[in-house]
Amino acid sequence: MERVGHVFDRLADSPLKVAGVTVSIAMIGYVLVQGLRKMTDRSNRLPPPPGPPRHFLIGNLLQFPKDHFYKRFCEWQREYGDIVSVEIPGINMVILNSYETAQELLGKRPNSTAGRKIPYMALEVMGNQWSAAFIQPGPHHSNQRKMLRRGIGPQRVGSHTPIIEKNATRLMMALQSFEGDPHKLVLHTVGKVVIEVAYGTKLPGSMSEELSSWNLEIMDLVNAALSNFWLVDIFHFLRFIPSWMPGAEFKRIGDRSTWLSKQIRYAPFKTAKALHKSGEIGHSLATDLLDEFGPNDDVMDALAVLYGAGSDTTSAAVMAFINALLLFPEISKKVYEEIIRATDGTRLPCNSDRANLPYTEAVWKEAFRWNTFIPVGVPHVNSQDEIFNGYLIKAGTLIGQNTGFMLSDPKVWGDPENFRPERFLTDEANSLPNPLVVVFGYGIRVCPGMYLADRTGFHISATIAALYDVVPLEGKSRPKPELVEYTDTFFRLPVGLQCRFVPRDSRTSDLLKAAGLDE
Ligand code: HEM
């Protein structure tokens, strides 16, 4: 204080001196208040959620899995409970193992727990900083979500039913002579649905094919990028080294991905705008959004995100249903009988039959739950410190969701290992979460495509069950459910699934012919 006084004594009584004294007092005050706040702040004394012991400097780096995340997360759940925290250098992470904790933290605190932390390589170097799934909450994120809700939300999703039904019927025709793993066929069908929902049916066939292949390529690149660590994630300046340099593989991946990203955004949108202008576009999400918002970048990006976010996901759900039809023939027969009762066996099932198909609905839910195809949710990030159940979750923590455990916790499901759709048909159902709600995410990041996914996936799945008995290849026996393995990917698929689609009865081909899709 003396030194401060001495300096000011040398200044004349001037506005400068007054200002200087004021600033000094303010600064001292500020330091004291901050110190006191630190001493009294309850949150500073709170521990992080429990988790495996951390090592000096490297935290849990050695225990953190490089693959099979779900398996390790379940091991930690057994040891530490509903909420587990781990730390690897530079990253704090918590893993939520119960639906209630996820709802509390992510669903009920949407303003502070809805961030994303996408590595620099996947976001910037690969040119994905436009995607609603990757960007931070803010005007672009909320605009795009508003647009998706307008076009494929609960009010409007029904308007896309003809596109879903037409493409499902095409798939049924292809399955008549198909043997092997149907994943590619299902993915292609869902991709067509998504493209036609987004841009209508008037895009030239070649553009639609290109859009699929661009998307499939970039999805592979992004998945590979996200499962690797890149130096550029830490040293961002590396992005400026030229692509031809030896060792600059990341740059070449980044350049290719950025090109694909641009094609996916601009090419179909340009055609859709022209078709809209000439009045030829027909019904589509693009039509709705161009009518209401005009041709702006948020409209372009809301449309462009659909394929990447909607095709792999929905086709994985349909594959889970097909897997169940193959593994559990009695369940498959019951679904078939229920659908025949609803349609009198005189027509293909349609979306409006759904209300009369409670058993099929229960099988659809159980297919989402049993060995779920999406065992780990998309992590959120909190923008401020959160106090939760007596623990401190520091701002900037990655908040992961162990969806697989939530859907197989014996305390909730009793016999999670059994594929038992009846659990959704009795009073027991009242105490169970809906598996679809569990997998579609939380808060302001909840999947905006869930109504379209549910409608498309359910219709394709029910139609397969109505027309075909899904059986093993000639000479092979049905796989044993407990022995089936699943890929270690973000969307898990049954490993080595091989099957045939045997028409249920002579009506199958008549029904397909009557559907009249020869155009
Ligand atoms: C069975 C199919 C699907 C599943 C299981 C699924 C699951 C998810 C999940 C878990 C998230 C992250 C939610 C969160 O962060 O809390 C998400 C986000 C998203 N989904 Fe889906 N999804 C499916 C289908 C679709 C479809 C068909 C579309 C579009 C047509 C779509 C568009 C999106 C978009 C744009 C996001 C990013 C939302 C955001 O970050 O704000 N999804 N989805």
Side-chain angles (χ1 to χ4, degrees):
M1 286 297 281
E2 246 188 68
R3 262 192 81 202
V4 173
H6 178 71
V7 171
F8 283 115
D9 284 347
R10 279 196 279 150
L11 289 170
D13 271 343
S14 66
L16 195 59
K17 182 172 176 181
V18 176
V21 172
T22 314
V23 168
S24 304
I25 291 170
M27 276 174 63
I28 292 162
Y30 177 78
V31 170
L32 280 175
V33 168
Q34 288 304 317
L36 267 177
R37 186 177 284 167
K38 276 210 162 153
M39 281 164 65
T40 52
D41 191 348
R42 199 166 68 85
S43 68
N44 261 316
R45 284 178 284 141
L46 293 176
R54 297 166 189 197
H55 298 289
F56 180 59
L57 287 180
I58 57 169
N60 300 110
L61 187 65
L62 300 178
Q63 298 113 307
F64 201 81
K66 290 190 191 60
D67 47 31
H68 294 92
F69 292 93
Y70 169 55
K71 219 171 130 207
R72 179 58 55 86
F73 289 176
C74 286
E75 287 164 12
W76 284 336
Q77 184 287 326
R78 276 196 290 280
E79 229 164 305
Y80 305 105
D82 273 359
I83 173 161
V84 175
S85 76
V86 285
E87 188 188 345
I88 47 179
I91 302 176
N92 285 316
M93 180 170 190
V94 300
I95 301 144
L96 308 178
N97 294 306
S98 83
Y99 178 54
E100 288 72 28
T101 51
Q103 263 183 324
E104 284 297 322
L105 193 56
L106 305 177
K108 297 193 184 159
R109 304 184 190 186
N111 294 332
S112 55
T113 60
R116 290 271 197 245
K117 193 183 269 184
I118 307 295
Y120 191 75
M121 169 73 180
L123 190 70
E124 301 286 339
V125 182
M126 296 178 74
N128 290 312
Q129 58 287 71
W130 55 272
S131 162
F134 287 176
I135 56 181
Q136 299 302 342
H140 290 299
H141 181 250
S142 61
N143 280 350
Q144 289 180 41
R145 290 193 59 102
K146 182 168 87 183
M147 291 171 179
L148 291 172
R149 198 172 168 81
R150 285 291 159 82
I152 54 173
Q155 314 295 333
R156 198 79 176 122
V157 70
S159 70
H160 305 294
T161 300
I163 288 173
I164 298 171
E165 291 181 349
K166 178 190 71 184
N167 283 293
T169 307
R170 289 219 168 103
L171 173 65
M172 299 309 135
M173 290 177 157
L175 291 178
Q176 283 185 93
S177 53
F178 182 82
E179 291 193 359
D181 181 350
H183 177 239
K184 272 206 174 125
L185 270 183
V186 173
L187 180 62
H188 184 258
T189 302
V190 174
K192 279 289 274 182
V193 170
V194 170
I195 289 175
E196 293 187 358
V197 164
Y199 301 103
T201 54
K202 299 291 189 305
L203 281 192
S206 57
M207 172 163 286
S208 172
E209 291 301 319
E210 272 181 325
L211 191 51
S212 296
S213 78
W214 292 331
N215 268 291
L216 294 173
E217 187 180 345
I218 203 173
M219 281 149 63
D220 278 351
L221 290 177
V222 171
N223 285 339
L226 287 174
S227 49
N228 274 301
F229 169 73
W230 306 85
L231 265 187
V232 72
D233 286 336
I234 299 183
F235 305 113
H236 298 176
F237 65 87
L238 288 175
R239 74 174 298 182
F240 297 110
I241 69 172
S243 313
W244 50 261
M245 279 218 353
E249 177 67 5
F250 77 94
K251 252 310 263 213
R252 293 187 278 279
I253 296 175
D255 289 351
R256 175 71 185 161
S257 167
T258 304
W259 182 84
L260 290 165
S261 204
K262 282 192 179 140
Q263 296 302 112
I264 289 165
R265 291 169 76 202
Y266 292 101
F269 190 55
K270 191 171 166 210
T271 311
K273 275 190 302 188
L275 289 166
H276 182 253
K277 207 167 172 190
S278 65
E280 294 164 86
I281 190 164
H283 174 61
S284 66
L285 178 59
T287 316
D288 284 0
L289 299 188
L290 287 168
D291 282 349
E292 186 170 351
F293 303 99
N296 65 50
D297 280 4
D298 281 333
V299 169
M300 175 172 77
D301 293 342
L303 294 169
V305 81
L306 251 67
Y307 193 108
S311 57
D312 248 8
T313 42
T314 310
S315 55
V318 173
M319 287 305 295
F321 195 96
I322 293 177
N323 189 37
L325 295 178
L326 175 66
L327 297 180
F328 308 108
E330 314 77 44
I331 291 175
S332 166
K333 189 159 170 270
K334 279 196 200 169
V335 172
Y336 162 64
E337 287 168 354
E338 183 181 67
I339 299 175
I340 291 298
R341 275 197 303 279
T343 60
D344 290 331
T346 54
R347 58 178 174 79
L348 292 179
C350 54
N351 257 278
S352 51
D353 291 320
R354 189 162 179 176
N356 301 319
L357 303 175
Y359 187 77
T360 312
E361 187 83 57
V363 176
W364 177 235
K365 284 184 185 157
E366 190 70 341
F368 269 70
R369 187 200 71 76
W370 187 76
N371 286 317
T372 186
F373 57 90
I374 174 166
V376 179
V378 184
H380 290 210
V381 173
N382 52 330
S383 55
Q384 61 181 43
D385 286 357
E386 295 291 334
I387 296 174
F388 185 71
N389 288 359
Y391 299 121
L392 171 67
I393 301 173
K394 284 195 184 144
T397 298
L398 268 187
I399 307 176
Q401 309 120 53
N402 185 353
T403 312
F405 183 76
M406 295 178 200
L407 292 171
S408 60
D409 183 350
K411 288 203 298 297
V412 177
W413 303 97
D415 59 345
E417 66 288 357
N418 293 332
F419 191 97
R420 192 167 60 81
E422 288 76 13
R423 69 178 87 241
F424 296 111
L425 294 169
T426 59
D427 290 347
E428 189 189 351
N430 301 332
S431 62
L432 296 174
N434 179 346
L436 274 76
V437 173
V438 178
V439 305
F440 280 123
Y442 302 90
I444 60 167
R445 295 220 90 116
V446 69
C447 174
M450 61 199 214
Y451 304 99
L452 183 65
D454 179 43
R455 191 167 269 255
T456 307
F458 182 87
H459 180 71
I460 293 176
S461 300
T463 312
I464 292 177
L467 297 183
Y468 297 113
D469 193 4
V470 182
V471 301
L473 299 188
E474 203 87 51
K476 301 271 181 197
S477 45
R478 282 188 198 267
K480 289 203 167 35
E482 63 281 12
L483 298 184
V484 175
E485 291 188 13
Y486 297 87
T487 55
D488 179 30
T489 39
F490 192 69
F491 304 109
R492 294 194 307 178
L493 297 166
V495 173
L497 185 147
Q498 297 277 313
C499 60
R500 290 179 295 141
F501 295 81
V502 176
R504 293 279 190 189
D505 53 44
S506 56
R507 281 174 301 192
T508 297
S509 58
D510 296 342
L511 290 178
L512 286 173
K513 265 190 218 130
L517 277 177
D518 301 327
E519 68 321 344

